[in-house]
Amino acid sequence: MVQFIQAQNVGLAYLEERFGLQLAEEEAFFIECFDNLPEITDLEKQDLDRVKLHFLRLVKRPPLSEETVKLVVLSPLLNLAGFYDEPFYIRGEQSIEISAENEEEVIRGKIDILVIQEKLWLLVIESKRSSFSLLEAIPQALAYMLADPSQDKPTFGLVTNGSDFIFLKLAKQNQPRYAMSDQFTLLKRKNELYQVLSGLKNLSQILS
């Protein structure tokens, strides 16, 4: 009998055991969000400063829901990074199911935001309420990324709770391997949304 598991209840140990997922520790595995990044213009910096201001204003009156995080923080970032333009298109609340070979357990869940190009999954974005730890969101995002039908190209992910951001990369050739970026935050005096946008812009240029 098939057992269904919700993606938000999956941990890294489960993904390692069932799908052979491994952490790639070499720096060269994940350079797309760190090397040769495009400059952020003064106008873009002004937009990002407003995003920070709006977010900090809203967190004064909790709770701050996932939908509000997507509206106030993620939507402006994706727009500035070019993911609303050709050749990309975006889907929200995309349902997925994934299971390992010969397993009677199926992971079910819904991706918050999925960026697609010609049926190729490019970027999986998982947003959480502002009080949620990103460490809990990473296995869920990786489970969604494992469901990407493409085997020969990497899938990228982004998890955020509105104030903090972590990029993910998953490559599935031979054996699935993943890596995580540093954690960026807009709560520092220097607005690290600049770095998040620069990483997203670089991904949009690489993947377009």
Side-chain angles (χ1 to χ4, degrees):
M1 182 176 179
V2 176
Q3 178 182 0
F4 293 99
I5 303 170
Q6 294 303 310
Q8 65 264 29
N9 297 326
V10 168
L12 283 174
Y14 179 92
L15 297 177
E16 291 170 356
E17 179 183 347
R18 293 292 192 276
F19 297 93
L21 184 66
Q22 287 187 346
L23 176 65
E25 298 185 1
E26 64 272 25
E27 291 187 5
F29 178 83
F30 190 9
I31 61 172
E32 290 85 352
C33 293
F34 312 103
D35 285 1
N36 301 314
L37 297 181
E39 293 290 331
I40 302 300
T41 67
D42 289 339
L43 185 58
E44 288 171 336
K45 289 179 180 179
Q46 292 175 20
D47 289 338
L48 294 174
D49 289 341
R50 280 195 294 271
V51 170
K52 177 178 179 178
L53 178 66
H54 295 159
F55 178 82
L56 294 178
R57 178 173 173 267
L58 287 169
V59 294
K60 292 178 181 179
R61 295 176 173 84
L64 191 60
S65 69
E66 293 179 32
E67 292 303 316
T68 305
V69 168
K70 285 188 281 188
L71 180 65
V72 175
V73 180
L74 277 178
S75 183
L77 280 171
L78 292 174
N79 182 35
L80 289 170
F83 284 110
Y84 289 162
D85 302 321
E86 294 289 346
F88 308 111
Y89 64 96
I90 287 180
R91 288 182 177 174
E93 291 292 327
Q94 183 76 15
S95 297
I96 65 101
E97 288 189 356
I98 181 174
S99 63
E101 292 184 10
N102 302 319
E103 292 283 351
E104 294 186 350
E105 295 176 336
V106 176
I107 300 174
R108 278 180 170 173
K110 287 187 177 181
I111 302 171
D112 282 347
I113 299 175
L114 178 63
V115 179
I116 304 174
Q117 179 192 13
E118 296 179 353
K119 298 183 180 180
L120 171 66
W121 294 16
L122 300 177
L123 184 64
V124 173
I125 300 177
E126 184 63 22
S127 63
K128 295 298 182 185
R129 62 186 182 273
S130 59
S131 60
F132 199 91
S133 169
L134 295 191
L135 293 178
E136 298 177 48
I138 288 171
Q140 183 178 354
L142 286 170
Y144 296 154
M145 294 163 71
L146 283 165
D148 179 1
S150 173
Q151 296 293 321
D152 59 342
K153 292 185 178 181
T155 304
F156 296 91
L158 177 67
V159 293
T160 181
N161 57 11
S163 63
D164 302 302
F165 304 80
I166 294 177
F167 287 99
L168 302 168
K169 179 181 179 179
L170 175 70
K172 292 191 289 185
Q173 296 95 333
N174 301 321
Q175 183 168 17
R177 302 173 73 225
Y178 76 99
M180 299 178 290
S181 73
D182 294 334
Q183 181 166 306
F184 302 103
T185 178
L186 58 69
L187 300 179
K188 289 185 178 179
R189 182 174 299 179
K190 182 179 179 181
N191 190 351
E192 291 190 351
L193 277 178
Y194 300 171
Q195 294 171 271
V196 175
L197 176 59
S198 190
L200 284 170
K201 287 178 68 175
N202 201 45
L203 285 180
S204 71
Q205 293 172 10
I206 292 171
L207 298 171
S208 62

